[in-house]
Amino acid sequence: MSAAEPTVAQTSTEAPALRLTDVSKSFGVVNALTKVSLEIRPREVVGLIGENGAGKSSLLKILSGNQTADSGTMELRGRPVTFSSISQAMSNGVAMVYQEQSLLPNVSVAENILLGNERGAVRDGFYRWKQMHRTAQRHLDEVKSGVSPSDITDTLPFAQRQMVEVAKALATGDGSPYDPVILLDEPTSVLESGDIETLFSVIRRVKEHASIVFVSHRLEEVLEICDRVYVMRDGEVVAEVDPAEADVDQLFRLMVGRDLTSGYFREDLSTEPTPDVRLAIESLTGPGFSDVSLGINRGEIVSILGVQDSGRENLGRVLFGALPAAHGSVRIDGERVGLRSTRDAVARGIGYLPSERKIDGAIMGMSVADNMTLAHPDVVSTLGVMRSRRVREVADEWIRRLAIKTSGPAAEMVNLSGGNQQKVVLAKWMLAPDLRVLILDTPTRGLDVGAKSEVYAILHGLAAKGVSIILLADSLEEGIYVSHRVITMADGKVTGEFTSRPGNRPSRTSLIERML
């Protein structure tokens, strides 16, 4: 192994909490997992990374009892096991914290934490509320949550619900002499930086009496929080890595099978914007923000960074006509425009990619072709009549241009990976005859590094053609390295502006100071 390669972590002599040996899983002719072997040791955080489709989800489903393997063995604390259901896995102390939360919204925190694991908190079919609240409070204290066991779950912010999920996973170990195994599936994907640090503190504390599997597309986080990392590609484990001796570029190469010579932010594709102001915002005020003034040049990428409730999300929605502005003005290419609806925005050449692509950005039950052309029917119609052949031709062209992995234009969106879904949503705006401004709300959230790199390449390509881009970045690094300029917001106000060029990038500290 060369010096540039990460080394394999040293093997511990302590018996593993969970071990898989030659586990395989197929769906028809598709091999989801092929002879996967790994182990999770007591009191450690094991990272699991790979591109979308690498097999991570299938592996988690087998570990959590959601699916069974076709072949291979699983040992829990040295004992052969096969979980035929999620409840069976939980009863053995293996619990999963899902990326899309599994809590029941209209019941209390205590009921959620102990759901299916009530034990002494139920007598003769009735809850013993005092006992339930005491038990739930103990687990909430373990994760340092200030939430009350009696709180109704859907009244809590997302970050607090995430902590309740972790407390629920810890409850699976109740009554067992063994420490639990907790599976964290993208636990930070929609958390702000402060909430991520809180979660990491919880993970470090919890691992003192638990084993944790941490799945994330954010490689910096994996290197920070994990003791060992397994890398998956095409349904196989291709490497076991010591985070202390690896970096993001090395993990990327192991995941995708090629070097990341230009950095996955694709700085090599960045071009200089023109001096012409394309979008001019003056004293704009709307829900959650006030007195925002900002100019964006043609071909310029401007990132806006801010914590939750900073106002940046609503600023993007107002500029797309999805929320009303109280006062202020918006000009495009010098012309003042009224954005009373999303239809007005589209007519003015403004596109918008929402943070929840599966809910607001696409229609999962419709085809790739229909999702691409829905916002711009004039592109595929004649005299107001939609031409099916033209729809297919346009979709085929953009599938080819963006290298979208799909069986064809007729494929349903729901069957595409997250990265390919995002490409379809981007194509919807790229085929617009006069796209001038594109607003993107965390466009790479939940995408693997390979898909992120492809999205960044698309954004740089749009900017090179003169499109002005507002990027509500998913991370500080994304905001710093993808943009020409970075704007910070806090409490609904613009608090800072930073030039961001190679050799002159703002520091994380300087940005965080203006965001808080």
Side-chain angles (χ1 to χ4, degrees):
M1 180 178 294
S2 68
E5 290 291 333
T7 60
V8 174
Q10 296 300 310
T11 302
S12 169
T13 57
E14 191 171 6
L18 191 64
R19 173 184 283 156
L20 298 184
T21 304
D22 292 337
V23 167
S24 297
K25 179 69 177 179
S26 297
F27 298 94
V29 297
V30 178
N31 294 323
L33 298 172
T34 304
K35 292 188 175 299
V36 169
S37 296
L38 55 80
E39 63 181 35
I40 304 155
R41 300 166 191 159
R43 298 174 301 284
E44 73 166 351
V45 181
V46 174
L48 185 63
I49 64 173
E51 292 189 276
N52 292 331
K56 304 187 304 298
S57 294
S58 295
L59 184 58
L60 288 179
K61 288 176 180 177
I62 289 171
L63 292 175
S64 64
N66 193 291
Q67 293 177 354
T68 56
D70 296 336
S71 60
T73 61
M74 179 163 61
E75 296 176 46
L76 181 66
R77 309 177 191 99
R79 176 173 55 90
V81 294
T82 300
F83 298 142
S84 58
S85 66
I86 293 174
S87 61
Q88 186 180 16
M90 290 180 64
S91 67
N92 281 274
V94 180
M96 185 161 168
V97 176
Y98 294 89
Q99 178 182 358
E100 297 177 359
Q101 294 180 340
S102 62
L103 301 177
L104 299 178
N106 57 345
V107 302
S108 71
V109 167
E111 289 171 277
N112 267 300
I113 289 176
L114 299 181
L115 185 65
N117 197 36
E118 294 86 353
R119 294 189 175 89
V122 171
R123 177 178 292 170
D124 298 327
F126 293 94
Y127 281 139
R128 302 171 63 193
W129 289 105
K130 288 185 179 180
Q131 176 65 32
M132 175 173 282
H133 282 189
R134 280 197 300 269
T135 303
Q137 186 64 61
R138 174 163 54 85
H139 293 299
L140 290 168
D141 290 343
E142 287 182 275
V143 299
K144 300 294 184 184
S145 173
V147 169
S148 169
S150 61
D151 285 342
I152 300 302
T153 306
D154 65 1
T155 64
L156 304 176
F158 186 94
Q160 291 184 359
R161 295 200 306 272
Q162 194 77 316
M163 295 305 176
V164 173
E165 287 268 18
V166 177
K168 177 181 177 181
L170 286 171
T172 62
D174 283 353
S176 170
Y178 303 106
D179 293 335
V181 177
I182 300 175
L183 314 175
L184 300 177
D185 183 17
E186 293 282 350
T188 65
S189 62
V190 294
L191 296 183
E192 302 289 348
S193 57
D195 296 323
I196 292 172
E197 287 304 316
T198 300
L199 178 62
F200 280 6
S201 296
V202 170
I203 290 173
R204 293 185 181 102
R205 191 163 52 249
V206 165
K207 84 166 187 175
E208 296 175 3
H209 53 86
S211 301
I212 298 169
V213 177
F214 182 83
V215 179
S216 179
H217 288 313
R218 296 175 173 176
L219 300 185
E220 298 89 351
E221 294 179 356
V222 172
L223 292 173
E224 177 182 350
I225 196 64
C226 296
D227 300 302
R228 290 184 300 124
V229 180
Y230 285 106
V231 185
M232 296 191 69
R233 187 169 73 237
D234 298 329
E236 300 180 10
V237 171
V238 296
E240 178 190 351
V241 178
D242 183 348
E245 301 182 12
D247 58 26
V248 168
D249 284 0
Q250 290 169 326
L251 293 184
F252 182 95
R253 182 173 65 251
L254 290 168
M255 284 173 55
V256 305
R258 64 177 185 275
D259 285 333
L260 189 56
T261 54
S262 60
Y264 77 91
F265 293 112
R266 300 314 307 268
E267 295 175 83
D268 59 313
L269 298 179
S270 180
T271 56
E272 283 297 309
T274 73
D276 306 315
V277 176
R278 163 139 284 170
L279 177 67
I281 306 166
E282 185 175 350
S283 301
L284 192 64
T285 297
F289 68 91
S290 61
D291 200 29
V292 171
S293 296
L294 177 64
I296 303 177
N297 291 353
R298 295 189 186 200
E300 186 178 19
I301 302 177
V302 174
S303 286
I304 303 181
L305 294 172
V307 300
Q308 192 173 10
D309 298 324
S310 64
R312 65 174 191 154
E313 293 89 355
N314 281 355
L315 173 61
R317 295 183 184 112
V318 167
L319 291 173
F320 190 58
L323 288 175
H327 61 79
S329 66
V330 177
R331 296 179 184 274
I332 297 180
D333 292 332
E335 179 184 359
R336 183 163 180 165
V337 296
L339 302 173
R340 294 176 295 274
S341 67
T342 57
R343 185 183 296 271
D344 287 344
V346 173
R348 296 291 185 172
I350 301 176
Y352 175 74
L353 194 149
S355 59
E356 296 289 346
R357 62 177 175 269
K358 292 184 178 181
I359 299 173
D360 302 320
I363 302 174
M364 291 293 111
M366 292 181 67
S367 70
V368 168
D370 288 338
N371 270 283
M372 280 187 186
T373 58
L374 198 60
H376 304 286
D378 291 347
V379 175
V380 291
S381 62
T382 304
L383 300 176
V385 178
M386 194 78 73
R387 302 299 183 187
S388 298
R389 180 177 178 180
R390 179 60 180 154
V391 170
R392 290 193 301 273
E393 289 174 347
V394 168
D396 269 330
E397 177 185 358
W398 285 100
I399 288 171
R400 176 182 55 79
R401 289 174 66 173
L402 299 184
I404 299 172
K405 295 179 182 178
T406 175
S407 59
E412 288 190 359
M413 278 286 284
V414 71
N415 294 324
L416 272 63
S417 69
N420 287 297
Q421 288 175 354
Q422 199 72 308
K423 287 184 185 181
V424 173
V425 178
L426 281 167
K428 174 174 65 177
W429 299 113
M430 294 174 72
L431 62 81
D434 186 26
L435 180 65
R436 294 189 278 182
V437 177
L438 183 58
I439 304 160
L440 304 115
D441 189 346
T442 54
T444 62
R445 177 175 289 168
L447 303 187
D448 62 61
V449 289
K452 284 184 179 182
S453 184
E454 292 174 342
V455 169
Y456 297 144
I458 292 170
L459 299 190
H460 287 304
L462 287 169
K465 294 179 180 178
V467 177
S468 298
I469 295 174
I470 297 177
L471 174 62
L472 308 184
D474 185 45
S475 65
L476 290 173
E477 288 76 18
E478 183 174 273
I480 292 168
Y481 290 102
V482 177
S483 309
H484 299 102
R485 201 157 33 110
V486 178
I487 305 295
T488 55
M489 291 185 68
D491 299 322
K493 299 279 190 179
V494 171
T495 57
E497 181 175 337
F498 303 81
T499 297
S500 190
R501 296 285 200 282
N504 186 27
R505 303 288 190 188
S507 69
R508 289 170 52 94
T509 302
S510 62
L511 294 174
I512 292 172
E513 286 175 348
R514 299 295 183 91
M515 292 164 56
L516 301 177

